[in-house]
Amino acid sequence: MSTKISLGTAGEKDTIVYITHEFKNDKHIGLSDKESAYIKSEIKEEKHLVAINRYDKWIFIHQIDKKKHDYLTHEKARRAGHKIGSLASHKKLGKIIVKVDSKDLSSETVLAFAEGMALGNYQFLKYRKDSKKETHSLKEIVIDDKKVKALAVDQLNILVDATCKARDLVNEPHISLNATGLAKAFQQMAKDSGFKIEVFDKAKITSLKMGGLLAVNKGSNAPPTFSVMEWKPAKAVNKKPIVLVGKGVVYDTGGYSLKPTLNSMDYMKCDMGGAAAVGCTMYAIAKAKLPLHVIGLVPSTDNMVDAAAYVPGDVITMHSGLTVEVLNTDAEGRLILGDALSYAQKYKPELVIDLATLTGAAAAAIGHFGIVYMGTADDKVKNKLEKSGNNVYERLVEFPLWDEYGDLIKSDIAEIKNLGGPY
């Protein structure tokens, strides 16, 4: 369950965290001269978090460095919030009041601090025997700051809730979450938030000639699913929908191109991270009642080794009619996503955003510090996406889509192949 964030004021015995860009001991804090001197000496030693034990409550002072760009300041605030949240759990605190000790601290910075506390408090304890004992104590974060509006807090609660739901899906083992289970999770989110959903079964997928999804599913003993989610409010600001496509490979062995490297399969239950992001984004959009027409598409299956599984050298026909020579069965995400992207064209969308755990080469290029993306949208859209990414510190790095790359996937026996070579 997500940590609840609300607006309110501090009581006499409430634990309070004062956040500031520069500690000045404003009178409203009520510190003694000794306490103030102690805090100043700690901050001088570059200890930005200082704790005062009042015995019946704690007072925390957290000085957050102000950076050149707001989004960097906000990320500092998130990390500061996470640190306080960890401290709260260590000290078995159930509630913390966040107060602002600086007039130049923006409401966005305060919200980022609360977000860091809430997201840092996340746990996945479903399979822990002593889950009640291990559950973090922090249940409530109260913001005491007139600059922060109730609507912003409501939206933050929705975002935290949706993010935790996505984390739950990614953490869930494959033994209890196959393609059907993933679709059922989306159906429950639709019921809870109000978006529409239709889940295509294998017969429907076959009738639509989604050859990529069907090929990857051939080695599985569980059927594939294709989830179509839609949020279309009466006064949507966009005439054409935005389509979100998410990779839903609930477990990836690599197929007959079995993953060879050390630890490479340990986290392959997470290969549906793109699908989780799309489903939970639909949940958040519907919960917040955003005036946007948005469609979410999730093709889902596992990628297993079996006598019936597809193999390198096979040629498959995609939903678009394009024939693909399979040279690597571990390059399966692009096959199921290709079907979904082709299906998305029926909506004549304003924009399509494809989310997937593709690929290790991206991490090799930029590390785990951002997201590699490429696309055909115009620069105006790309600039908005990059700005949006910065706002939540999910930074985007654009890679090229040069024409020469098209030559690398030409096939001798089909129209294209699913592998472009080592470079």
Side-chain angles (χ1 to χ4, degrees):
M1 184 177 177
S2 301
T3 308
K4 184 71 176 176
I5 305 166
S6 61
L7 292 174
T9 55
E12 284 187 14
K13 293 188 177 181
D14 282 331
T15 289
I16 300 171
V17 54
Y18 292 94
I19 55 176
T20 179
H21 283 320
E22 185 180 357
F23 177 70
K24 295 179 180 177
N25 188 23
D26 290 351
K27 292 180 181 178
H28 69 274
I29 297 180
L31 297 169
S32 69
D33 290 341
K34 285 185 177 180
E35 288 171 333
S36 180
Y38 169 69
I39 292 167
K40 287 178 180 177
S41 67
E42 290 291 282
I43 290 175
K44 192 174 181 180
E45 295 293 324
E46 297 187 355
K47 296 176 183 177
H48 289 187
L49 172 59
V50 185
I52 302 290
N53 188 352
R54 288 277 182 87
Y55 299 106
D56 61 341
K57 68 176 183 179
W58 285 86
I59 294 178
F60 301 112
I61 309 291
H62 209 311
Q63 183 168 294
I64 300 166
D65 290 340
K66 192 169 186 177
K67 296 295 184 180
K68 183 178 180 180
H69 300 289
D70 287 343
Y71 79 89
L72 294 173
T73 303
H74 298 160
E75 180 61 10
K76 275 283 184 183
R78 288 187 195 94
R79 291 177 182 273
H82 168 61
K83 192 180 291 185
I84 287 288
S86 297
L87 202 56
S89 293
H90 178 69
K91 298 187 181 301
K92 306 298 182 187
L93 303 173
K95 177 181 175 182
I96 284 188
I97 312 295
V98 179
K99 296 197 74 166
V100 178
D101 184 36
S102 180
K103 291 180 181 179
D104 62 346
L105 208 72
S106 69
S107 61
E108 290 82 8
T109 304
V110 178
L111 289 164
F113 183 85
E115 179 187 6
M117 287 181 70
L119 289 178
N121 203 45
Y122 170 80
Q123 293 175 286
F124 186 74
L125 299 174
K126 182 177 177 180
Y127 299 102
R128 306 281 286 191
K129 185 176 68 174
D130 296 324
S131 60
K132 287 186 178 179
K133 290 181 181 178
E134 295 179 50
T135 300
H136 289 161
S137 58
L138 184 61
K139 298 290 184 291
E140 190 177 0
I141 300 164
V142 179
I143 299 174
D144 185 358
D145 182 13
K146 292 179 181 178
K147 295 192 298 293
V148 177
K149 304 302 180 185
L151 177 61
V153 172
D154 289 343
Q155 290 181 338
L156 181 55
N157 274 311
I158 290 168
L159 287 171
V160 169
D161 183 26
T163 301
C164 290
K165 278 180 164 54
R167 289 175 175 181
D168 283 346
L169 288 173
V170 170
N171 281 321
E172 191 68 42
H174 175 243
I175 197 170
S176 53
L177 187 75
N178 59 15
T180 301
L182 183 63
K184 285 181 179 178
F186 294 152
Q187 287 172 322
Q188 184 61 52
M189 287 183 209
K191 185 178 179 182
D192 293 342
S193 64
F195 66 82
K196 293 179 182 178
I197 184 169
E198 183 179 4
V199 178
F200 298 167
D201 60 13
K202 188 172 183 178
K204 175 72 171 179
I205 292 166
T206 302
S207 72
L208 291 169
K209 299 180 179 179
M210 292 185 171
L213 179 54
L214 291 167
V216 178
N217 181 251
K218 283 183 69 177
S220 177
N221 62 2
T225 59
F226 190 90
S227 298
V228 180
M229 299 166 272
E230 184 171 22
W231 171 251
K232 189 178 183 181
K235 295 181 180 180
V237 296
N238 51 327
K239 293 180 180 179
K240 295 180 178 180
I242 294 168
V243 177
L244 307 176
V245 178
K247 177 185 173 184
V249 177
V250 287
Y251 194 84
D252 182 19
T253 66
Y256 271 97
S257 303
L258 196 67
K259 292 181 181 293
T261 54
L262 184 66
N263 304 324
S264 61
M265 260 193 264
D266 293 7
Y267 299 103
M268 284 301 102
K269 67 177 185 179
C270 305
D271 212 16
M272 36 59 70
V278 167
C280 294
T281 296
M282 294 301 299
Y283 170 82
I285 288 169
K287 270 279 188 180
K289 294 181 169 53
L290 298 187
L292 291 167
H293 182 195
V294 185
I295 293 165
L297 304 176
V298 172
S300 185
T301 181
D302 43 20
N303 184 25
M304 294 294 187
V305 181
D306 182 81
Y310 73 136
V311 296
D314 281 351
V315 175
I316 61 177
T317 303
M318 304 287 287
H319 174 265
S320 63
L322 196 71
T323 58
V324 179
E325 179 187 11
V326 177
L327 292 184
N328 189 322
T329 60
D330 195 24
E332 86 297 334
R334 62 203 69 177
L335 297 177
I336 72 170
L337 291 168
D339 281 341
L341 289 168
S342 174
Y343 186 83
Q345 292 180 17
K346 67 176 282 187
Y347 299 107
K348 297 180 172 57
E350 174 185 323
L351 178 68
V352 179
I353 301 176
D354 177 304
L355 299 167
T357 47
L358 295 173
T359 169
I366 66 166
H368 297 283
F369 309 112
I371 299 168
V372 163
Y373 84 102
M374 55 190 72
T376 57
D378 62 35
D379 288 342
K380 185 178 179 181
V381 170
K382 290 176 182 177
N383 289 339
K384 285 183 177 181
L385 283 172
E386 290 186 12
K387 183 178 179 182
S388 179
N390 284 346
N391 286 342
V392 292
Y393 213 67
E394 295 284 0
R395 294 165 295 180
L396 294 165
V397 179
E398 185 180 6
F399 271 27
L401 268 179
W402 293 325
D403 291 343
E404 288 85 351
Y405 292 151
D407 295 333
L408 298 180
I409 59 169
K410 287 180 179 177
S411 168
D412 292 333
I413 65 169
E415 288 165 290
I416 61 171
K417 55 189 179 182
N418 78 329
L419 206 64
Y423 308 112

